[in-house]
Amino acid sequence: MIEAVLTLSGIGLVASLGLGLAARKFAVRRNPLIERVEQILPGANCGACGTAGCSAFAKAVVEGEAPLNACVPGGQEVARLIAELMGAAVPSTESYVAVLLCKGGKGEARSKFEYDGVSDCRAAVLVSGGDKGCAYGCLGLGTCERVCPFGAIHMDEDGLPVIDRETCTGCGVCVKNCPKGVLLLAPREASVHIRCHSHDKGAQVKRVCTVGCIGCGACVRICPYEAITLDDGLAVMDYTRCRQCGLCVDSCPTGNITSLVSQTPKARIDPERCKGHALCEAACPVDAISGEPGKTRLVDEERCIGCRICCSVCPVHAIAMVNPD
C-alpha cells in the first residue's frame, strides 16, 4: 500500500515539474501595452474597427497594424487617449450616426401578405422578400434594435426603428444586420436626410407607400448646391455638398425629406464692412437680399433660408450667419 502511494506521488511530482518547465518554455509573452490599450477601449466588441473585438484591435494597434482612430464607438476621445499612450500624434476622427432610409411604417406602407414566422428581419426577408408591399422598405421586426450593442435603437408604434442620435456611436452593427439596407451611416453633423430607399417607379411607390420618394426631381431642381441627384429614380443626398438650408424639405410632395434643424440661422450684413456690392443679392436663391446700388444691402429675415450662399460670394466677408433673436 505504501509503495503504491509513493509511486503515484512520484509520478505526480515528475508530471508537475514537466508541466511547469513546459509552461515556462512555451509561454507566450504579451506586450503589457496591449492590455493598457484595451483598458482604454469601450469594450463593446462590435467589430466596427475591422477586427474580431477589442482585444484583437488593441493588439493590432500596438503592433502597428491598425490606425489609432479605428475605434468607432470610442470616437475622438479614445483616439486621443491611445495616441497619448503610444506617444503618437492625435489623429482626427469623423463621427457618424445611423439614419433610417424609410418612413413607411404600418400607417403609411401596405403589406402584401401576413407574415407569421420568426420575428427577425433576416428570417422574414427569406419569405418572398418580406411582407412589406415596398420591396425596399423596412420590415419593422426590430433586428436592428436587438443587435445594437449600445441600446440606441427602439421600435416605435408605427413599426419603424427610432435611433437615439446621442447614444448611437456609429459602429454600423445595425447597418450590417439590416437585410433591406435601409440603414445608413451619415455624418453626425448632417441634419437633412432623404428617407427612402426605393428605386421603384413613382407610380409603383404610390401604390404601396404614401411617403416614399416618387423620383419627381423637385428636390434636385431646388437645391442651390447640387447636393441631390436622381439615381435610378431615387433622390440621393451628397452630404459633402448639402448646406442644410432645407429648401428640399419643403419641396418634397410626399414629405419624404426631413430636417433636424430646429432654428434656421439668418444672414446678417455688417454695414461697416459692406461695400454695396450686389453679388449677394444676385446669388440669393429666394430674393431675400435687396438694396440700392453702392449702398449696404438689407436682408429680409422672413425670406432668408440660411443657405449661406451670400456668405460664400461676398468679397469683403461682410455677411455672417446668426441665430434669430
Side-chain angles (χ1 to χ4, degrees):
M1 182 66 180
I2 295 177
E3 291 178 351
V5 171
L6 291 174
T7 300
L8 290 174
S9 299
I11 293 173
L13 180 61
V14 171
S16 299
L17 289 173
L19 289 173
L21 291 172
R24 295 195 59 177
K25 182 176 180 59
F26 298 108
V28 177
R29 298 185 182 280
R30 195 184 194 214
N31 188 336
L33 199 57
I34 296 175
E35 185 174 351
R36 295 180 64 185
V37 171
E38 191 173 353
Q39 290 173 348
I40 295 174
L41 301 175
N45 291 309
C46 62
C49 58
T51 69
C54 293
S55 295
F57 174 64
K59 183 174 182 293
V61 165
V62 172
E63 295 178 352
E65 296 177 351
L68 306 183
N69 59 351
C71 177
V72 178
Q76 186 67 41
E77 179 60 15
V78 165
R80 182 186 67 79
L81 292 173
I82 294 176
E84 289 181 355
L85 181 63
M86 301 290 291
V90 180
S92 61
T93 302
E94 295 184 3
S95 183
Y96 293 87
V97 65
V99 175
L100 177 65
L101 304 181
C102 181
K103 289 184 70 179
K106 297 175 183 176
E108 298 82 18
R110 296 177 57 184
S111 297
K112 55 186 179 184
F113 61 86
E114 183 176 349
Y115 174 72
D116 193 26
V118 178
S119 182
D120 186 285
C121 300
R122 294 164 296 190
V125 77
L126 299 177
V127 184
S128 299
D131 63 333
K132 215 54 169 297
C134 174
Y136 300 88
C138 172
L139 295 179
L141 295 178
T143 297
C144 53
E145 178 185 35
R146 291 187 290 277
V147 300
C148 177
F150 301 97
I153 301 177
H154 73 272
M155 302 301 294
D156 66 9
E157 295 179 350
D158 202 24
L160 292 176
V162 178
I163 299 160
D164 183 342
R165 290 173 56 87
E166 297 299 321
T167 309
C168 177
T169 63
C171 69
V173 172
C174 58
V175 176
K176 295 175 184 174
N177 283 276
C178 176
K180 287 292 188 179
V182 294
L183 289 164
L184 167 77
L185 288 180
R188 187 171 293 275
E189 65 274 12
S191 296
V192 178
H193 302 286
I194 298 170
R195 303 282 303 282
C196 186
H197 184 56
S198 173
H199 286 277
D200 282 334
K201 300 296 182 184
Q204 172 61 17
V205 172
K206 286 184 176 180
R207 275 194 287 271
V208 297
C209 181
T210 60
V211 291
C213 173
I214 56 175
C216 66
C219 54
V220 177
R221 292 189 293 274
I222 201 169
C223 178
Y225 297 103
E226 299 181 343
I228 304 177
T229 56
L230 282 182
D231 177 13
D232 191 22
L234 173 67
V236 178
M237 176 74 74
D238 180 349
Y239 290 110
T240 63
R241 287 176 171 268
C242 178
R243 301 291 183 87
Q244 306 178 47
C245 66
L247 281 175
C248 56
V249 177
D250 295 331
S251 74
C252 181
T254 63
N256 183 258
I257 306 177
T258 59
S259 173
L260 299 173
V261 177
S262 58
Q263 189 176 41
T264 302
K266 305 294 182 180
R268 188 160 295 176
I269 298 176
D270 183 350
E272 299 295 326
R273 306 186 70 171
C274 179
K275 304 301 180 185
H277 298 295
L279 294 175
C280 56
E281 181 179 348
C284 179
V286 293
D287 298 327
I289 302 178
S290 61
E292 299 179 10
K295 294 186 178 180
T296 300
R297 289 307 194 259
L298 301 175
V299 177
D300 182 347
E301 293 195 355
E302 293 295 323
R303 300 175 69 95
C304 177
I305 58 173
C307 66
R308 297 178 174 81
I309 290 179
C310 53
C311 298
S312 64
V313 300
C314 179
V316 293
H317 307 293
I319 308 176
M321 302 305 297
V322 297
N323 289 324
D325 298 331

